[in-house]
Amino acid sequence: MNLPVLTEVQILELVAKEYNVTVKEIQGSNRKRPLPESRRMACFFMDDIGHERKDIADALQLDRSNITGQLRVLNDELTLYRDTKEHFQNLLKAVNNLLNKVNNERKTELK
């Protein structure tokens, strides 16, 4: 099994920057906007790049059973809210840029 290229912390930092919040706030239980949405985005990107649900739950300080629900709600929000979709697109670019950077660094190390 291949390990994910980006760590949970790297994803959390990208999401925190996009939403102008701290990693600690994302990991907290506050439901004030935009924290719940930022948690769902972090869940999505961690899940998408291959982190296990247990590790995602630990990183976000959530119960593992909440992860599937978080992803389901985000899917609904992406179809309903333009600002959520904009945040998603921005994060998708940021994650891809960081993945490219990490992959290029690995290629350089292997030479």
Side-chain angles (χ1 to χ4, degrees):
M1 178 173 118
N2 291 334
L3 294 175
V5 177
L6 301 180
T7 67
E8 292 98 343
V9 172
Q10 288 172 307
I11 298 291
L12 284 169
E13 288 171 347
L14 288 175
V15 172
K17 183 177 179 183
E18 171 66 23
Y19 282 92
N20 198 28
V21 298
T22 67
V23 169
K24 287 286 183 203
E25 287 175 311
I26 294 173
Q27 293 172 321
S29 59
N30 190 323
R31 294 183 184 177
K32 187 176 174 184
R33 263 191 119 207
L35 297 172
E37 183 177 299
S38 68
R39 284 183 203 105
R40 290 189 277 277
M41 288 288 185
C43 280
F44 172 83
F45 284 102
M46 287 181 208
D47 186 64
D48 190 56
I49 64 171
H51 288 279
E52 297 201 15
R53 298 275 170 104
K54 179 194 177 304
D55 297 331
I56 297 169
D58 291 346
L60 292 169
Q61 299 177 0
L62 294 172
D63 186 81
R64 191 178 348 175
S65 63
N66 288 343
I67 302 302
T68 301
Q70 295 283 334
L71 295 171
R72 189 176 307 119
V73 170
L74 179 62
N75 187 50
D76 293 343
E77 289 178 341
L78 285 170
T79 61
L80 295 173
Y81 304 115
R82 184 174 50 215
D83 62 333
T84 303
K85 191 178 268 188
E86 287 174 16
H87 284 297
F88 178 83
Q89 294 296 332
N90 293 342
L91 283 165
L92 186 60
K93 288 176 190 173
V95 167
N96 283 329
N97 288 340
L98 186 54
L99 281 169
N100 287 335
K101 180 181 175 186
V102 168
N103 286 330
N104 288 336
E105 289 171 358
R106 285 184 175 179
K107 287 178 186 176
T108 302
E109 289 173 3
L110 294 175
K111 288 183 179 181

